[in-house]
Amino acid sequence: EAGVVQSPRYKIIEKKQPVAFWCNPISGHNTLYWYRQNLGQGPELLIRYENEEAVDDSQLPKDRFSAERLKGVDSTLKIQPAELGDSAVYLCASSLEAPKGNTEAFFGQGTRLTVV
Amino acid sequence: GENVEQHPSTLSVQEGDSAVIKCTYSDSASNYFPWYKQELGKRPQLIIDIRSNVGEKKDQRIAVTLNKTAKHFSLHITETQPEDSAVYFCAAKRSYIPTFGRGTSLIVHP
């Protein structure tokens, strides 16, 4: 099993430029999460998908961030335009949720974004 | 929403000592409590978890306890080794969403 795969691993961009991150979850996992992790902090949820539907996106700054999960598999997270404060590690995670919602989330390696 | 507090933020121990990390949560509806270990530059990886119908779980040198009434749970690592050095995150999961604590940096001195 390949695990959750993210790309790129690292990205450096100038402020005001667009950037996109890609995530391939574990095969068969119905739930996909995007988290942002600032240095020295825990992951903070940006958006959660159940299959192809975004069901929790209240923490996503919708003026500049967008996400999609086509066909309920791969997902992309986009920032346009990027700001200096967006520098962080963006983590993707997936899980196969049971009705009680008490199952493990598996994380990808993350994309470290630096905005200069 | 859920709020998870974790402490201490940094924990320094000698090899062989025990380490305890504590977390509290705010939402009594949370029903799943995983602990993740994150080494520098790597992904968070689950090391142990506990569900709300269990009070304690142990796996070799690590154990987790859950007190639902007080809404707190703890990670216990015995006989610490240098390779245990990492950042540890607790999480409380409610309605399919894990909310994470801020992390504890554990340093094990040889």
Side-chain angles (χ1 to χ4, degrees):
Chain A
E1 188 174 276
V4 178
V5 178
Q6 290 186 247
S7 68
R9 287 293 312 280
Y10 306 93
K11 190 74 175 179
I12 301 174
I13 61 170
E14 294 183 343
K15 61 182 180 183
K16 302 184 181 180
Q17 294 303 305
V19 64
F21 314 125
W22 176 80
C23 174
N24 178 233
I26 292 173
S27 178
H29 279 193
N30 55 359
T31 300
L32 183 146
Y33 308 85
W34 282 103
Y35 281 89
R36 178 169 57 192
Q37 186 175 26
N38 292 309
L39 189 64
Q41 304 289 322
E44 296 178 331
L45 183 71
L46 291 173
I47 191 169
R48 178 176 76 94
Y49 282 91
E50 281 185 9
N51 299 305
E52 65 274 9
E53 183 181 2
V55 293
D56 289 292
D57 63 355
S58 60
Q59 300 304 310
L60 190 72
K62 297 181 182 64
D63 57 336
R64 297 183 300 106
F65 286 65
S66 64
E68 61 181 5
R69 190 183 184 197
L70 298 177
K71 300 181 180 179
V73 182
D74 293 0
S75 178
T76 56
L77 177 68
K78 299 178 181 178
I79 309 174
Q80 183 172 11
E83 297 179 352
L84 294 176
D86 296 331
S87 296
V89 175
Y90 291 82
L91 291 164
C92 178
S94 71
S95 65
L96 179 60
E97 285 299 338
K100 290 185 178 179
N102 57 355
T103 56
E104 174 189 358
F106 294 83
F107 282 88
Q109 295 271 39
T111 295
R112 181 177 296 277
L113 174 67
T114 302
V115 182
V116 297
Chain B
E2 177 63 275
N3 182 48
V4 177
E5 300 286 340
Q6 180 174 349
H7 56 94
S9 57
T10 305
L11 180 57
S12 183
V13 300
Q14 289 295 129
E15 182 177 0
D17 287 351
S18 295
V20 180
I21 303 170
K22 298 182 179 181
C23 289
T24 60
Y25 61 101
S26 61
D27 194 331
S28 57
S30 289
N31 61 357
Y32 176 65
F33 305 90
W35 286 87
Y36 286 83
K37 176 183 180 181
Q38 188 175 29
E39 297 177 353
L40 191 62
K42 296 189 176 181
R43 74 185 76 195
Q45 291 196 302
L46 183 80
I47 55 171
I48 195 167
D49 57 9
I50 191 166
R51 290 175 173 80
S52 57
N53 59 345
V54 176
E56 185 174 353
K57 183 177 178 180
K58 187 174 182 180
D59 182 3
Q60 298 184 345
R61 295 187 298 109
I62 60 173
V64 58
T65 59
L66 171 65
N67 184 325
K68 286 173 53 181
T69 303
K71 294 204 281 288
H72 68 70
F73 55 115
S74 300
L75 176 71
H76 304 252
I77 307 175
T78 59
E79 301 172 24
T80 53
Q81 301 168 3
E83 52 264 39
D84 294 329
S85 297
V87 178
Y88 292 80
F89 294 99
C90 65
K93 192 172 184 182
R94 173 192 177 276
S95 299
Y96 308 96
I97 298 176
T99 300
F100 287 83
R102 294 168 67 100
T104 296
S105 177
L106 174 64
I107 303 166
V108 181
H109 300 280

